[in-house]
Amino acid sequence: ATTTTTTTTETAPAPAGKGSINGTITSVPAASAKNAVIYLEDGPKDVAVNTQVDNGQMNFYPYVAVVTVGGTVKFVNNDPFPHNVFSPDNERFDIGQIPQHAAKTRKFDKAGAYTLLCNLHPNMKGYVVSVPSNAFAKSDAKGAFSIKDVPAGTYKVTAWAPGVKPVTQSVTVAAGDVTSNFDLHR
């Protein structure tokens, strides 16, 4: 006798009065789309979101990290030699040298994009994007994104990616999904 088992999976509906913002980023240059950050300028901010950026094999990982305003970034050095982390952007910062297998933390009090550089290794580059709300997403390798559980309302949504100008547009969210696509250029 052959027994067949069928499993059914249902997707839970969005909570009442909430929806998702889904879309795709296209960009020139095309490679920027896979590193985009999409966020609500005027969305809810419940708690600070912290993150970590690793220095490993002379790279910042992730290449683009996201933190909310008031959140902290822990910079961890996994290389067998020291690194320095600084940014020439916005209020500029330099956290100094991070010895091998050590870490330093920095709080981000203002919204904005920060280029990460290492004065010991000029080929290293990464980004921290400090966003004003908890409603944000990073694009995937094909430029697709989804911001889930957004309360109903009309918001300003911004898409940012390295090397291109950010774009802000208005979107109205109700129960369910709404689509908001972005085309980013230099």
Side-chain angles (χ1 to χ4, degrees):
T2 304
T3 305
T4 304
T5 305
T6 304
T7 305
T8 304
T9 311
E10 292 185 28
T11 304
K18 292 188 177 185
S20 294
I21 302 171
N22 304 307
T24 303
I25 305 294
T26 55
S27 64
V28 175
S32 293
K34 69 180 179 185
N35 291 304
V37 176
I38 306 86
Y39 58 92
L40 300 188
E41 294 275 355
D42 47 0
K45 180 155 187 283
D46 304 323
V47 295
V49 174
N50 304 314
T51 194
Q52 180 171 307
V53 173
D54 294 323
N55 290 324
Q57 298 180 348
M58 295 185 56
N59 288 297
F60 290 106
Y61 183 79
Y63 179 62
V64 176
V66 184
V67 62
T68 57
V69 170
T72 60
V73 176
K74 182 178 182 181
F75 294 96
V76 179
N77 182 4
N78 292 310
D79 277 333
F81 41 80
H83 284 291
N84 166 269
V85 178
F86 75 97
S87 179
D89 301 324
N90 303 311
E91 68 271 13
R92 300 178 185 179
F93 67 86
D94 186 338
I95 64 171
Q97 283 195 18
I98 305 172
Q100 64 184 17
H101 309 297
K104 289 191 177 182
T105 303
R106 182 181 191 282
K107 185 176 180 183
F108 285 78
D109 290 320
K110 294 183 180 178
Y114 297 81
T115 306
L116 300 178
L117 301 168
C118 174
N119 64 13
L120 302 173
H121 307 101
N123 59 317
M124 291 179 64
K125 189 175 189 180
Y127 297 90
V128 168
V129 181
S130 177
V131 298
S133 78
N134 289 98
F136 66 87
K138 286 177 68 175
S139 61
D140 66 15
K142 295 182 179 180
F145 70 90
S146 181
I147 304 173
K148 300 190 181 306
D149 296 332
V150 178
T154 299
Y155 300 95
K156 289 187 265 178
V157 182
T158 296
W160 172 94
V164 293
K165 293 178 185 171
V167 172
T168 301
Q169 55 195 35
S170 181
V171 66
T172 299
V173 176
D177 293 349
V178 64
T179 300
S180 186
N181 296 317
F182 292 86
D183 191 17
L184 306 178
H185 299 275
R186 289 190 170 151

